[in-house]
PDB file of all heavy atoms in Angstrom:
ATOM      1  N   GLU A  12     -52.858 -74.837  51.945  1.00 96.00           N
ATOM      2  CA  GLU A  12     -54.107 -75.483  52.301  1.00 96.00           C
ATOM      3  C   GLU A  12     -54.961 -74.485  53.162  1.00 96.00           C
ATOM      4  O   GLU A  12     -54.452 -73.744  53.931  1.00 96.00           O
ATOM      5  CB  GLU A  12     -53.837 -76.788  53.042  1.00 96.00           C
ATOM      6  CG  GLU A  12     -53.229 -77.795  52.083  1.00 96.00           C
ATOM      7  CD  GLU A  12     -52.971 -79.162  52.706  1.00 96.00           C
ATOM      8  OE1 GLU A  12     -53.914 -79.593  53.481  1.00 96.00           O
ATOM      9  OE2 GLU A  12     -51.889 -79.701  52.551  1.00 96.00           O
ATOM     10  N   MET A  14     -56.802 -75.146  55.667  1.00 95.00           N
ATOM     11  CA  MET A  14     -56.701 -75.397  57.121  1.00 95.00           C
ATOM     12  C   MET A  14     -55.433 -74.807  57.744  1.00 95.00           C
ATOM     13  O   MET A  14     -55.304 -74.656  58.924  1.00 95.00           O
ATOM     14  CB  MET A  14     -56.834 -76.875  57.459  1.00 95.00           C
ATOM     15  CG  MET A  14     -55.734 -77.767  56.975  1.00 95.00           C
ATOM     16  SD  MET A  14     -55.936 -79.545  57.510  1.00 95.00           S
ATOM     17  CE  MET A  14     -55.728 -79.352  59.247  1.00 95.00           C
ATOM     18  N   LEU A  28     -61.363 -81.715  60.541  1.00 97.00           N
ATOM     19  CA  LEU A  28     -60.535 -82.476  61.523  1.00 97.00           C
ATOM     20  C   LEU A  28     -61.318 -83.741  61.972  1.00 97.00           C
ATOM     21  O   LEU A  28     -60.740 -84.804  62.083  1.00 97.00           O
ATOM     22  CB  LEU A  28     -60.172 -81.615  62.701  1.00 97.00           C
ATOM     23  CG  LEU A  28     -59.107 -80.562  62.378  1.00 97.00           C
ATOM     24  CD1 LEU A  28     -59.141 -79.378  63.345  1.00 97.00           C
ATOM     25  CD2 LEU A  28     -57.741 -81.206  62.298  1.00 97.00           C
ATOM     26  N   PHE A  31     -61.489 -86.403  59.294  1.00 97.00           N
ATOM     27  CA  PHE A  31     -60.239 -87.083  58.990  1.00 97.00           C
ATOM     28  C   PHE A  31     -60.283 -88.573  59.505  1.00 97.00           C
ATOM     29  O   PHE A  31     -59.677 -89.422  58.924  1.00 97.00           O
ATOM     30  CB  PHE A  31     -59.039 -86.392  59.639  1.00 97.00           C
ATOM     31  CG  PHE A  31     -58.541 -85.192  58.887  1.00 97.00           C
ATOM     32  CD1 PHE A  31     -57.780 -84.212  59.570  1.00 97.00           C
ATOM     33  CD2 PHE A  31     -58.764 -85.032  57.577  1.00 97.00           C
ATOM     34  CE1 PHE A  31     -57.279 -83.089  58.895  1.00 97.00           C
ATOM     35  CE2 PHE A  31     -58.216 -83.942  56.840  1.00 97.00           C
ATOM     36  CZ  PHE A  31     -57.517 -82.986  57.536  1.00 97.00           C
ATOM     37  N   ASN A  35     -58.872 -91.108  56.944  1.00 96.00           N
ATOM     38  CA  ASN A  35     -57.664 -91.770  57.366  1.00 96.00           C
ATOM     39  C   ASN A  35     -57.880 -93.291  57.311  1.00 96.00           C
ATOM     40  O   ASN A  35     -57.019 -94.066  56.872  1.00 96.00           O
ATOM     41  CB  ASN A  35     -57.263 -91.335  58.784  1.00 96.00           C
ATOM     42  CG  ASN A  35     -56.616 -89.994  58.745  1.00 96.00           C
ATOM     43  OD1 ASN A  35     -56.084 -89.533  57.766  1.00 96.00           O
ATOM     44  ND2 ASN A  35     -56.619 -89.303  59.940  1.00 96.00           N
ATOM     45  N   ASP A  64     -47.580 -89.164  68.757  1.00 98.00           N
ATOM     46  CA  ASP A  64     -48.051 -88.771  67.457  1.00 98.00           C
ATOM     47  C   ASP A  64     -47.817 -87.275  67.314  1.00 98.00           C
ATOM     48  O   ASP A  64     -48.430 -86.466  68.038  1.00 98.00           O
ATOM     49  CB  ASP A  64     -49.566 -89.130  67.388  1.00 98.00           C
ATOM     50  CG  ASP A  64     -50.136 -88.815  66.024  1.00 98.00           C
ATOM     51  OD1 ASP A  64     -49.406 -88.294  65.135  1.00 98.00           O
ATOM     52  OD2 ASP A  64     -51.334 -89.163  65.741  1.00 98.00           O
ATOM     53  N   LEU A  65     -46.971 -86.925  66.333  1.00 98.00           N
ATOM     54  CA  LEU A  65     -46.672 -85.520  66.088  1.00 98.00           C
ATOM     55  C   LEU A  65     -47.644 -84.908  65.026  1.00 98.00           C
ATOM     56  O   LEU A  65     -47.666 -85.425  63.948  1.00 98.00           O
ATOM     57  CB  LEU A  65     -45.246 -85.370  65.575  1.00 98.00           C
ATOM     58  CG  LEU A  65     -44.062 -85.628  66.517  1.00 98.00           C
ATOM     59  CD1 LEU A  65     -42.785 -85.633  65.784  1.00 98.00           C
ATOM     60  CD2 LEU A  65     -44.063 -84.472  67.557  1.00 98.00           C
ATOM     61  N   GLY A  66     -48.378 -83.842  65.423  1.00 98.00           N
ATOM     62  CA  GLY A  66     -49.354 -83.278  64.450  1.00 98.00           C
ATOM     63  C   GLY A  66     -50.555 -84.171  64.418  1.00 98.00           C
ATOM     64  O   GLY A  66     -51.032 -84.515  63.360  1.00 98.00           O
ATOM     65  N   CYS A  67     -51.054 -84.547  65.647  1.00 98.00           N
ATOM     66  CA  CYS A  67     -52.101 -85.605  65.737  1.00 98.00           C
ATOM     67  C   CYS A  67     -53.425 -85.188  65.239  1.00 98.00           C
ATOM     68  O   CYS A  67     -54.326 -86.061  65.084  1.00 98.00           O
ATOM     69  CB  CYS A  67     -52.267 -86.069  67.164  1.00 98.00           C
ATOM     70  SG  CYS A  67     -52.837 -84.754  68.246  1.00 98.00           S
ATOM     71  N   GLY A  68     -53.742 -83.891  64.962  1.00 97.00           N
ATOM     72  CA  GLY A  68     -55.034 -83.479  64.537  1.00 97.00           C
ATOM     73  C   GLY A  68     -56.063 -83.919  65.559  1.00 97.00           C
ATOM     74  O   GLY A  68     -55.971 -83.686  66.754  1.00 97.00           O
ATOM     75  N   GLY A  69     -57.116 -84.639  65.047  1.00 97.00           N
ATOM     76  CA  GLY A  69     -58.221 -85.074  65.961  1.00 97.00           C
ATOM     77  C   GLY A  69     -57.848 -86.317  66.671  1.00 97.00           C
ATOM     78  O   GLY A  69     -58.600 -86.819  67.492  1.00 97.00           O
ATOM     79  N   ASP A  71     -57.387 -89.583  65.694  1.00 97.00           N
ATOM     80  CA  ASP A  71     -57.904 -90.872  65.429  1.00 97.00           C
ATOM     81  C   ASP A  71     -56.839 -91.865  65.053  1.00 97.00           C
ATOM     82  O   ASP A  71     -56.969 -93.056  65.353  1.00 97.00           O
ATOM     83  CB  ASP A  71     -58.932 -90.789  64.270  1.00 97.00           C
ATOM     84  CG  ASP A  71     -58.313 -90.192  63.001  1.00 97.00           C
ATOM     85  OD1 ASP A  71     -58.159 -88.948  62.965  1.00 97.00           O
ATOM     86  OD2 ASP A  71     -57.992 -90.930  62.044  1.00 97.00           O
ATOM     87  N   VAL A  72     -55.789 -91.437  64.363  1.00 98.00           N
ATOM     88  CA  VAL A  72     -54.732 -92.461  63.995  1.00 98.00           C
ATOM     89  C   VAL A  72     -54.039 -92.966  65.267  1.00 98.00           C
ATOM     90  O   VAL A  72     -53.874 -94.145  65.359  1.00 98.00           O
ATOM     91  CB  VAL A  72     -53.671 -91.711  63.075  1.00 98.00           C
ATOM     92  CG1 VAL A  72     -52.404 -92.575  62.953  1.00 98.00           C
ATOM     93  CG2 VAL A  72     -54.245 -91.462  61.725  1.00 98.00           C
ATOM     94  N   ASP A  93     -50.175 -81.416  68.948  1.00 98.00           N
ATOM     95  CA  ASP A  93     -50.415 -80.609  67.767  1.00 98.00           C
ATOM     96  C   ASP A  93     -50.263 -79.148  68.145  1.00 98.00           C
ATOM     97  O   ASP A  93     -50.730 -78.743  69.163  1.00 98.00           O
ATOM     98  CB  ASP A  93     -51.858 -80.847  67.184  1.00 98.00           C
ATOM     99  CG  ASP A  93     -51.972 -80.449  65.772  1.00 98.00           C
ATOM    100  OD1 ASP A  93     -51.814 -79.258  65.474  1.00 98.00           O
ATOM    101  OD2 ASP A  93     -52.170 -81.341  64.878  1.00 98.00           O
ATOM    102  N   PRO A  94     -49.531 -78.351  67.310  1.00 97.00           N
ATOM    103  CA  PRO A  94     -49.403 -76.945  67.696  1.00 97.00           C
ATOM    104  C   PRO A  94     -50.661 -76.154  67.576  1.00 97.00           C
ATOM    105  O   PRO A  94     -50.734 -75.019  68.072  1.00 97.00           O
ATOM    106  CB  PRO A  94     -48.291 -76.435  66.651  1.00 97.00           C
ATOM    107  CG  PRO A  94     -48.395 -77.423  65.481  1.00 97.00           C
ATOM    108  CD  PRO A  94     -48.834 -78.739  66.099  1.00 97.00           C
ATOM    109  N   ASP A  95     -51.693 -76.676  66.899  1.00 96.00           N
ATOM    110  CA  ASP A  95     -52.965 -75.988  66.640  1.00 96.00           C
ATOM    111  C   ASP A  95     -53.987 -76.352  67.743  1.00 96.00           C
ATOM    112  O   ASP A  95     -54.451 -77.486  67.801  1.00 96.00           O
ATOM    113  CB  ASP A  95     -53.439 -76.282  65.279  1.00 96.00           C
ATOM    114  CG  ASP A  95     -54.580 -75.432  64.794  1.00 96.00           C
ATOM    115  OD1 ASP A  95     -55.292 -74.861  65.696  1.00 96.00           O
ATOM    116  OD2 ASP A  95     -54.752 -75.277  63.604  1.00 96.00           O
ATOM    117  N   ALA A  98     -57.110 -78.126  66.595  1.00 97.00           N
ATOM    118  CA  ALA A  98     -56.995 -79.597  66.398  1.00 97.00           C
ATOM    119  C   ALA A  98     -57.166 -80.343  67.716  1.00 97.00           C
ATOM    120  O   ALA A  98     -58.017 -81.287  67.775  1.00 97.00           O
ATOM    121  CB  ALA A  98     -55.678 -79.914  65.741  1.00 97.00           C
ATOM    122  N   ASP A 114     -45.388 -78.465  70.288  1.00 96.00           N
ATOM    123  CA  ASP A 114     -44.660 -78.949  69.124  1.00 96.00           C
ATOM    124  C   ASP A 114     -43.468 -79.719  69.630  1.00 96.00           C
ATOM    125  O   ASP A 114     -43.189 -79.804  70.815  1.00 96.00           O
ATOM    126  CB  ASP A 114     -44.315 -77.742  68.221  1.00 96.00           C
ATOM    127  CG  ASP A 114     -43.426 -76.726  68.882  1.00 96.00           C
ATOM    128  OD1 ASP A 114     -42.770 -77.131  69.923  1.00 96.00           O
ATOM    129  OD2 ASP A 114     -43.361 -75.609  68.453  1.00 96.00           O
ATOM    130  N   ASN A 131     -49.025 -88.630  60.654  1.00 98.00           N
ATOM    131  CA  ASN A 131     -49.838 -88.878  59.461  1.00 98.00           C
ATOM    132  C   ASN A 131     -50.188 -87.498  58.752  1.00 98.00           C
ATOM    133  O   ASN A 131     -50.720 -86.680  59.413  1.00 98.00           O
ATOM    134  CB  ASN A 131     -51.122 -89.589  59.877  1.00 98.00           C
ATOM    135  CG  ASN A 131     -51.939 -90.040  58.672  1.00 98.00           C
ATOM    136  OD1 ASN A 131     -51.459 -90.837  57.875  1.00 98.00           O
ATOM    137  ND2 ASN A 131     -53.147 -89.567  58.560  1.00 98.00           N
ATOM    138  N   HIS A 132     -49.852 -87.461  57.522  1.00 97.00           N
ATOM    139  CA  HIS A 132     -50.182 -86.322  56.681  1.00 97.00           C
ATOM    140  C   HIS A 132     -49.676 -84.989  57.217  1.00 97.00           C
ATOM    141  O   HIS A 132     -50.296 -83.964  57.098  1.00 97.00           O
ATOM    142  CB  HIS A 132     -51.738 -86.229  56.528  1.00 97.00           C
ATOM    143  CG  HIS A 132     -52.366 -87.355  55.801  1.00 97.00           C
ATOM    144  ND1 HIS A 132     -53.717 -87.668  55.820  1.00 97.00           N
ATOM    145  CD2 HIS A 132     -51.770 -88.334  55.019  1.00 97.00           C
ATOM    146  CE1 HIS A 132     -53.944 -88.755  55.107  1.00 97.00           C
ATOM    147  NE2 HIS A 132     -52.772 -89.172  54.639  1.00 97.00           N
ATOM    148  N   VAL A 133     -48.474 -85.065  57.809  1.00 98.00           N
ATOM    149  CA  VAL A 133     -47.846 -83.829  58.252  1.00 98.00           C
ATOM    150  C   VAL A 133     -46.702 -83.426  57.328  1.00 98.00           C
ATOM    151  O   VAL A 133     -46.572 -82.210  57.004  1.00 98.00           O
ATOM    152  CB  VAL A 133     -47.316 -83.994  59.708  1.00 98.00           C
ATOM    153  CG1 VAL A 133     -46.577 -82.656  60.185  1.00 98.00           C
ATOM    154  CG2 VAL A 133     -48.429 -84.295  60.669  1.00 98.00           C
ATOM    155  N   HIS A 135     -46.114 -83.322  54.117  1.00 96.00           N
ATOM    156  CA  HIS A 135     -46.381 -82.467  53.021  1.00 96.00           C
ATOM    157  C   HIS A 135     -46.837 -81.066  53.336  1.00 96.00           C
ATOM    158  O   HIS A 135     -46.867 -80.149  52.507  1.00 96.00           O
ATOM    159  CB  HIS A 135     -47.480 -83.148  52.098  1.00 96.00           C
ATOM    160  CG  HIS A 135     -48.892 -83.039  52.584  1.00 96.00           C
ATOM    161  ND1 HIS A 135     -49.432 -84.130  53.274  1.00 96.00           N
ATOM    162  CD2 HIS A 135     -49.800 -82.092  52.552  1.00 96.00           C
ATOM    163  CE1 HIS A 135     -50.678 -83.747  53.685  1.00 96.00           C
ATOM    164  NE2 HIS A 135     -50.898 -82.562  53.234  1.00 96.00           N
ATOM    165  N   HIS A 136     -47.252 -80.838  54.605  1.00 94.00           N
ATOM    166  CA  HIS A 136     -47.637 -79.502  55.030  1.00 94.00           C
ATOM    167  C   HIS A 136     -46.454 -78.589  55.229  1.00 94.00           C
ATOM    168  O   HIS A 136     -46.607 -77.393  55.316  1.00 94.00           O
ATOM    169  CB  HIS A 136     -48.339 -79.598  56.385  1.00 94.00           C
ATOM    170  CG  HIS A 136     -49.836 -79.859  56.286  1.00 94.00           C
ATOM    171  ND1 HIS A 136     -50.750 -78.848  56.266  1.00 94.00           N
ATOM    172  CD2 HIS A 136     -50.469 -81.002  56.176  1.00 94.00           C
ATOM    173  CE1 HIS A 136     -51.957 -79.357  56.114  1.00 94.00           C
ATOM    174  NE2 HIS A 136     -51.817 -80.668  56.043  1.00 94.00           N
ATOM    175  N   LEU A 137     -45.264 -79.132  55.392  1.00 95.00           N
ATOM    176  CA  LEU A 137     -44.105 -78.369  55.844  1.00 95.00           C
ATOM    177  C   LEU A 137     -43.240 -77.908  54.755  1.00 95.00           C
ATOM    178  O   LEU A 137     -43.067 -78.584  53.731  1.00 95.00           O
ATOM    179  CB  LEU A 137     -43.267 -79.265  56.844  1.00 95.00           C
ATOM    180  CG  LEU A 137     -44.061 -79.939  57.988  1.00 95.00           C
ATOM    181  CD1 LEU A 137     -43.178 -80.868  58.748  1.00 95.00           C
ATOM    182  CD2 LEU A 137     -44.649 -78.885  58.857  1.00 95.00           C
ATOM    183  N   PHE A 145     -38.448 -81.111  61.618  1.00 97.00           N
ATOM    184  CA  PHE A 145     -39.446 -82.076  62.102  1.00 97.00           C
ATOM    185  C   PHE A 145     -38.815 -83.488  62.107  1.00 97.00           C
ATOM    186  O   PHE A 145     -38.960 -84.191  63.097  1.00 97.00           O
ATOM    187  CB  PHE A 145     -40.641 -82.020  61.105  1.00 97.00           C
ATOM    188  CG  PHE A 145     -41.760 -82.996  61.423  1.00 97.00           C
ATOM    189  CD1 PHE A 145     -42.770 -82.582  62.388  1.00 97.00           C
ATOM    190  CD2 PHE A 145     -41.842 -84.220  60.823  1.00 97.00           C
ATOM    191  CE1 PHE A 145     -43.802 -83.450  62.707  1.00 97.00           C
ATOM    192  CE2 PHE A 145     -42.892 -85.066  61.124  1.00 97.00           C
ATOM    193  CZ  PHE A 145     -43.892 -84.679  62.067  1.00 97.00           C
TER     194      PHE A 145
HETATM  195  C1  LIG B   1     -53.606 -82.735  57.548  1.00 90.64           C
HETATM  196  S1  LIG B   1     -53.479 -82.459  59.277  1.00 90.64           S
HETATM  197  C2  LIG B   1     -53.233 -84.146  59.818  1.00 90.64           C
HETATM  198  C3  LIG B   1     -53.760 -84.371  61.173  1.00 90.64           C
HETATM  199  C4  LIG B   1     -53.740 -85.827  61.725  1.00 90.64           C
HETATM  200  N1  LIG B   1     -52.390 -86.256  61.817  1.00 90.64           N
HETATM  201  C5  LIG B   1     -54.547 -86.701  60.767  1.00 90.64           C
HETATM  202  O1  LIG B   1     -53.927 -87.478  60.019  1.00 90.64           O
HETATM  203  O2  LIG B   1     -55.787 -86.654  60.819  1.00 90.64           O
HETATM  204  C6  LIG B   1     -51.874 -81.793  59.593  1.00 90.64           C
HETATM  205  C7  LIG B   1     -51.589 -81.432  61.013  1.00 90.64           C
HETATM  206  O3  LIG B   1     -50.266 -81.132  61.170  1.00 90.64           O
HETATM  207  C8  LIG B   1     -50.198 -80.166  62.201  1.00 90.64           C
HETATM  208  N2  LIG B   1     -48.861 -79.429  62.077  1.00 90.64           N
HETATM  209  C9  LIG B   1     -48.513 -78.504  61.193  1.00 90.64           C
HETATM  210  N3  LIG B   1     -47.199 -78.126  61.374  1.00 90.64           N
HETATM  211  C10 LIG B   1     -46.721 -78.976  62.324  1.00 90.64           C
HETATM  212  C11 LIG B   1     -45.469 -79.154  62.946  1.00 90.64           C
HETATM  213  N4  LIG B   1     -44.404 -78.434  62.548  1.00 90.64           N
HETATM  214  N5  LIG B   1     -45.274 -80.121  63.881  1.00 90.64           N
HETATM  215  C12 LIG B   1     -46.399 -80.887  64.242  1.00 90.64           C
HETATM  216  N6  LIG B   1     -47.578 -80.775  63.675  1.00 90.64           N
HETATM  217  C13 LIG B   1     -47.813 -79.845  62.725  1.00 90.64           C
HETATM  218  C14 LIG B   1     -51.364 -79.222  61.907  1.00 90.64           C
HETATM  219  O4  LIG B   1     -51.733 -78.408  62.982  1.00 90.64           O
HETATM  220  C15 LIG B   1     -52.454 -80.238  61.537  1.00 90.64           C
HETATM  221  O5  LIG B   1     -53.191 -80.617  62.639  1.00 90.64           O
END
Side-chain angles (χ1 to χ4, degrees):
E12 293 182 42
M14 67 177 293
L28 287 158
F31 279 158
N35 285 337
D64 184 356
L65 286 172
C67 65
D71 59 283
V72 166
D93 200 293
D95 190 336
D114 62 21
N131 186 60
H132 296 164
V133 178
H135 73 263
H136 274 265
L137 308 175
F145 182 84

